[in-house]
Amino acid sequence: MSGAVATLPRGELTRGLMAQLRVVHALALRETRTRFGQNKLGYVWALLEPLFWIGTFAGLFEVADRGTPGGMAIVPFLATGVVTYELVMKTANKGSQAINGNKALLFYPQVQTLDLILARGALELATYAVVFALIIGGWAFTVPRVRIDDLLVLMNGLLLAGLLGMGLGLVLCGLNVLSPTVERIRGPLFRPLFWVSGLFFTAESLPKQVRDMLLYNPILHCIEMVRTGFFPDYHARHAEPMYVGAWILGLFFFGLTLERRVRHKVQLT
Amino acid sequence: MIELHSVTKAYRTRAGDHVVLDRIDAMFPDQVSTGILGKNGAGKSTLLRILGGAERPDAGQVVRHGRVSWPIGFTGGFNGSLSGEENSRFVARIYGADVDEVVDFAQRFAEIGEYFRMPVRTYSSGMRARLAFGLSMALDFDTYLVDEVTAVGDKSFQAKCRAAFEDRSERSTVIIVSHNMNTIRKYCSRAAVLNGGRLRFYEDLDEAAEAYEAVA
């Protein structure tokens, strides 16, 4: 057989890494087909949901006659917030279902829970990057000129948001195996984050006391980074990539430890 | 070749720990096909998953040489909403094999006709097993782990499987778990009985059959 396994020249680590990449790649390809069942409309939904929130809040801002902080254009202001937030939440959501939705795959020894999470996370990240580009692209038709300040900072913010979602998903996935109740309380538990993650405000526009408290929330940091990358005249002094990174490391560490502890409880049917 | 060094596995139940594998030492050398007999619930499938690596033992060590298959049987391994072809692509990819070759081989071997392009959830259990066998044959493993093949497909498909295994008996080894001695006789040259967490090997199949009769 023309297996890559046999022909790889270098040591164990490279081989292990290649095997893992192969698995994640195969899983990601598969997930693109099954993300919404056989229904291709699912991808349209990924676009419609953020659009719905953006529309709703743009309307509310209009009715309340409230301006955006620093006079940012309303569509990208909301899009940076909503898309980044959705990315974290949907990735966590998909990740938490990784074992339940893919038990059959754990039959193959080289497929591990982490691979399932990484594959789903990569797919969500790609999906929402496209969603963001589409929304901004659509909006660009309505304005004379669009300038994105620093694409790298923007992408970094989205990447960290995706990784944060994967970390959360990994932990939830492990907890799910322990108790199905987790899935039920996840919704109510996460819902407040919608209001405190900076979807419709910036950290800069908050009074210091409130800001210091809300800055414990890593999602706010991600959104601030995306905005800093997008808007030429916005600079979030409080966004700390390292802080988000610490959260991600912590979540992955805890999640992987948990996974190792509960793995034997997963019934491979 | 697969070696087990005091492999132990227990399941926690309400009535306390239930030990299914109790410090098992075993050697499955190349080119010796082994049948493992055991009653339902004796831990045969668990043993097979541990041999393959899908499950970890609580204690002890498993050493594998060469490429070991996943446990091939009726269940597991397929996504119901994807077609047989798509599932084959996936499996080919994770094993780093040539995708088109594997798909082609699996399709020809499984002989499930148009169903190959339909979602696996529409398959009968026999068709699933046919696909699983076709796929595993396409991948050229050194050791095949087979779970309960007794009733896979009709006579001609069984003959085909046996021929395929015989064909590659020079380079591949088969480990079959079953509660049916006849299956073991068809494929294996030696057998072991799994009972009460212990695995006992018999070089003579008749001896194994007797020992199995005694516990079953």
Side-chain angles (χ1 to χ4, degrees), chain B:
Chain B
M1 184 168 75
I2 306 178
E3 297 164 44
L4 298 182
H5 299 294
S6 58
V7 164
T8 300
K9 181 85 186 175
Y11 286 110
R12 218 149 284 160
T13 63
R14 275 174 220 286
D17 281 5
H18 173 60
V19 181
V20 277
L21 305 176
D22 186 9
R23 289 160 292 160
I24 290 183
D25 288 296
M27 164 98 110
F28 297 90
D30 284 336
Q31 279 149 40
V32 180
S33 291
T34 310
I36 298 171
L37 289 153
K39 292 178 290 188
N40 285 331
K44 298 187 300 286
S45 299
T46 304
L47 175 59
L48 212 56
R49 284 200 294 269
I50 285 179
L51 284 171
E55 211 164 311
R56 266 170 232 282
D58 295 337
Q61 211 187 0
V62 183
V63 184
R64 287 177 209 92
H65 305 275
R67 291 156 62 88
V68 180
S69 82
W70 72 93
I72 305 152
F74 293 110
T75 50
F78 295 125
N79 181 308
S81 60
L82 295 179
S83 72
E85 181 178 6
E86 287 165 322
N87 273 296
S88 303
R89 281 181 186 284
F90 171 76
V91 173
R93 281 198 192 101
I94 62 173
Y95 281 96
D98 184 286
V99 174
D100 292 328
E101 249 171 61
V102 168
V103 168
D104 197 48
F105 188 103
Q107 181 174 16
R108 270 186 290 116
F109 195 95
E111 293 177 31
I112 52 174
E114 282 307 298
Y115 274 99
F116 193 63
R117 289 178 217 301
M118 291 201 242
V120 167
R121 81 173 107 75
T122 62
Y123 290 20
S124 67
S125 61
M127 285 158 72
R128 273 166 173 266
R130 278 165 171 262
L131 181 60
F133 267 86
L135 251 180
S136 66
M137 291 298 158
L139 284 165
D140 252 348
F141 290 107
D142 296 310
T143 304
Y144 283 88
L145 305 175
V146 182
D147 197 349
E148 302 284 2
V149 275
T150 323
V152 175
D154 45 30
K155 280 255 154 54
S156 70
F157 187 74
Q158 284 184 27
K160 190 172 182 177
C161 284
R162 212 155 55 240
F165 276 126
E166 259 157 38
D167 211 33
R168 60 192 69 202
S169 61
E170 290 285 298
R171 46 207 161 92
S172 303
T173 313
V174 189
I175 301 174
I176 295 181
V177 304
S178 180
H179 50 73
N180 186 331
M181 191 61 209
N182 289 333
T183 313
I184 306 276
R185 279 187 200 281
K186 280 180 199 152
Y187 289 90
C188 308
S189 54
R190 66 164 188 167
V193 176
L194 181 63
N195 189 44
R198 309 297 295 182
L199 187 66
R200 190 124 183 235
F201 284 88
Y202 299 89
E203 295 305 320
D204 183 76
L205 288 180
D206 293 323
E207 248 181 83
E210 257 172 60
Y212 181 51
E213 284 295 318
V215 298

Side-chain angles (χ1 to χ4, degrees), chain A residues 18-35:
Chain A
M18 290 307 288
Q20 176 145 31
L21 271 180
R22 217 162 52 212
V23 169
V24 173
H25 175 234
L27 283 170
L29 282 177
R30 222 182 78 116
E31 292 282 328
T32 55
R33 296 278 284 108
T34 51
R35 181 170 184 258

Side-chain angles (χ1 to χ4, degrees), chain A residues 88-245:
Chain A
V88 178
M89 287 301 143
K90 281 283 147 54
T91 310
N93 183 6
K94 293 275 168 195
S96 74
Q97 294 298 320
I99 287 187
N100 279 341
N102 282 310
K103 259 183 207 164
L105 296 185
L106 295 174
F107 234 71
Y108 304 103
Q110 65 268 59
V111 179
Q112 299 289 330
T113 312
L114 181 63
D115 303 318
L116 299 172
I117 305 264
L118 290 178
R120 289 190 158 195
L123 179 61
E124 293 308 304
L125 190 57
T127 305
Y128 281 98
V130 171
V131 164
F132 184 69
L134 284 175
I135 293 175
I136 295 301
W139 169 76
F141 280 110
T142 68
V143 289
R145 191 160 166 271
V146 180
R147 206 188 116 219
I148 293 175
D149 186 42
D150 191 337
L151 195 58
L152 269 185
V153 174
L154 192 159
M155 292 198 310
N156 195 18
L158 285 180
L159 178 66
L160 287 176
L163 288 171
L164 190 64
M166 290 184 223
L168 277 170
L170 189 59
V171 170
L172 286 169
C173 190
L175 292 175
N176 265 337
V177 176
L178 283 182
S179 159
T181 331
V182 175
E183 201 46 41
R184 229 161 275 155
I185 59 172
R186 179 173 55 93
L189 212 63
F190 277 10
R191 199 156 301 143
L193 289 174
F194 186 78
W195 305 102
V196 298
S197 296
L199 275 75
F200 7 83
F201 58 82
T202 61
E204 294 288 329
S205 64
L206 295 171
K208 187 177 181 311
Q209 268 179 325
V210 183
R211 182 173 65 218
D212 284 350
M213 222 162 73
L214 294 193
L215 276 172
Y216 282 107
N217 172 6
I219 305 176
L220 177 57
H221 289 258
C222 295
I223 294 182
E224 289 282 283
M225 282 176 68
V226 174
R227 283 192 183 132
T228 302
F230 189 85
F231 296 102
D233 35 14
Y234 183 69
H235 181 72
R237 288 172 299 139
H238 305 284
E240 283 287 351
M242 293 307 275
Y243 177 71
V244 186

